[in-house]
Amino acid sequence: MVPTHNEATNIEEILARLREHVPEADVLVIDDASTDATRTLARAALRPNDRIVERTTKSGLGNAYLHAFRIGLDEGYDLLVQIDADMSHDPIALPTMLAVAQHGVAVVIGSRYIPGGSVIGWPRRRLWLSRWANRYTAIALGLAINDATAGYRVYRADALRSLDLAGIQASGYGFQIEMTYRAVRSGMSVVEIPITFRDRVAGESKMSRRIVVEAFKLVTWWGVNDLVTLRRRRRAYRTLDQATQPDSQ
């Protein structure tokens, strides 16, 4: 699943690299209202089992992936892969990630922030922001995940079917966090595989302050809600325990 918006400078290369490293995989390009040659180039590069979905509005990364999930699940695919079109996610890591998923792991994350992982080309401020966001997410939500914001992933279809995809709230940067949070809360296995992440060298980043703020607000809300829920449960347990104690008089 390759979401695109004005990725004419990258789309041919990412499709060629996917063909090189995972020739058995079918590719779904989800294009959101590109105004450049992305769609034309993608159509020319796709193989018979590949396809492109051409959407008329730019509805956000999360919405694009949810659209792709529905297609993949409806058509009976066992594994669904998220990968960016801008070449920041190297397809060379994908065979390893797929192998881990095929051994029963529900969610495999291509991680920048575990031993062996790295980030190349980001300015110090962008790297600091990403690391801080992941640290805050892990603390607020109690996640033992180093890179909850990572967008390079493999999902098992049975895992996606068991999640409430219709209830996903985040549309941008926070989509990856919410999917991780829901998977962990559901007791699913989540494994991080180290990758080398490279900043895009062509095209424009879709990251914005609005997307970051949305993610921060959602993570804070989920964390606060979890604390409130935990306190209510503890209070209920104490009340139940008191009610079941034998009368001492």
Side-chain angles (χ1 to χ4, degrees):
M1 305 175 295
V2 186
T4 57
H5 175 72
N6 292 342
E7 292 288 357
T9 53
N10 297 304
I11 188 62
E12 291 177 302
E13 184 176 2
I14 186 63
L15 293 177
R17 293 273 286 164
L18 286 169
R19 191 171 300 120
E20 175 186 358
H21 292 288
V22 282
E24 72 281 9
D26 298 335
V27 177
L28 172 63
V29 175
I30 316 98
D31 184 77
D32 272 9
S34 286
T35 56
D36 62 4
T38 298
R39 294 182 176 185
T40 300
L41 295 171
R43 289 193 212 105
L46 294 176
R47 300 167 302 176
N49 286 341
D50 302 335
R51 75 179 74 178
I52 180 171
V53 172
E54 301 178 6
R55 308 203 306 175
T56 57
T57 58
K58 192 173 185 293
S59 301
L61 181 68
N63 184 278
Y65 274 131
L66 289 173
H67 190 149
F69 288 160
R70 287 192 291 270
I71 293 174
L73 294 176
D74 287 346
E75 298 191 358
Y77 286 93
D78 296 318
L79 303 175
L80 290 85
V81 176
Q82 291 183 189
I83 188 168
D84 287 352
D86 61 8
M87 295 303 301
S88 58
H89 301 152
D90 193 339
I92 197 171
L94 194 47
T96 299
M97 294 171 65
L98 288 168
V100 173
Q102 287 168 341
H103 278 84
V105 175
V107 185
V108 182
I109 297 176
S111 178
R112 299 160 289 185
Y113 304 132
I114 61 172
S118 62
V119 175
I120 297 175
W122 267 3
R124 184 174 299 177
R125 183 175 180 276
R126 177 75 182 275
L127 182 59
W128 177 87
L129 175 63
S130 177
R131 285 187 173 276
W132 178 87
N134 277 286
R135 187 72 58 83
Y136 177 75
T137 296
I139 294 172
L141 303 181
L143 300 179
I145 304 295
N146 294 278
D147 199 352
T149 64
Y152 195 5
R153 302 182 175 212
V154 179
Y155 287 97
R156 290 185 61 86
D158 52 2
L160 288 175
R161 287 192 182 94
S162 68
L163 293 176
D164 177 22
L165 296 179
I168 296 293
Q169 302 174 56
S171 60
Y173 189 63
F175 173 76
Q176 315 296 2
I177 299 174
E178 184 169 5
M179 289 295 293
T180 307
Y181 176 56
R182 286 174 177 262
V184 172
R185 285 283 301 272
S186 298
M188 295 180 184
S189 54
V190 181
V191 170
E192 294 181 89
I193 300 297
I195 64 163
T196 298
F197 177 97
R198 290 179 172 81
D199 192 21
R200 65 161 66 235
V201 295
E204 296 183 359
S205 172
K206 311 306 186 295
M207 183 63 68
S208 68
R209 181 174 179 176
R210 181 189 64 80
I211 291 173
V212 174
V213 170
E214 176 205 48
F216 177 76
K217 287 181 177 178
L218 285 172
V219 168
T220 302
W221 166 248
W222 294 328
V224 170
N225 188 61
D226 282 350
L227 286 175
V228 171
T229 301
L230 180 60
R231 287 174 181 172
R232 286 175 178 170
R233 287 176 179 172
R234 287 176 175 172
R235 190 179 303 118
Y237 290 150
R238 286 197 297 268
T239 301
L240 178 62
D241 183 63
Q242 291 170 358
T244 56
Q245 291 295 319
D247 192 341
S248 59
Q249 297 182 359

